[in-house]
Amino acid sequence: MQLKGIVLAPDGRPCAGASVYPAGAPRQLVVTDAQGAFTLPVPAGAAISLRVEYFGEGSSRVEVPAPGTTPLRITLGK
């Protein structure tokens, strides 16, 4: 399954170049595009914990109960 999402700064602007990966699995890291969008392969139907890091804006940990088809919106610092 492909988890799709977008990473935003606290002021709402997209974070191009942010790192997104499953917590504890940094080798599965993906980087957001110019619009802050990412696609990450994840196991279907399984809960997942993501780490999101962006230089200058900090990092966030996001719990995703069961990835669905709606893109995930992650705002750093929330």
Side-chain angles (χ1 to χ4, degrees):
M1 169 172 195
Q2 300 291 321
L3 174 64
K4 296 180 184 233
I6 186 168
V7 177
L8 304 169
D11 64 4
R13 65 182 166 76
C15 292
S19 301
V20 181
Y21 58 92
R27 289 185 178 188
Q28 294 179 335
L29 178 133
V30 295
V31 178
T32 59
D33 66 14
Q35 290 77 39
F38 69 90
T39 301
L40 180 70
V42 297
I48 188 167
S49 179
L50 297 178
R51 291 285 302 167
V52 182
E53 299 176 356
Y54 187 66
F55 184 76
E57 296 291 344
S59 65
S60 291
R61 185 176 182 134
V62 179
E63 303 296 325
V64 182
T69 56
T70 304
L72 187 63
R73 291 178 58 92
I74 300 169
T75 302
L76 292 172
K78 291 189 177 182

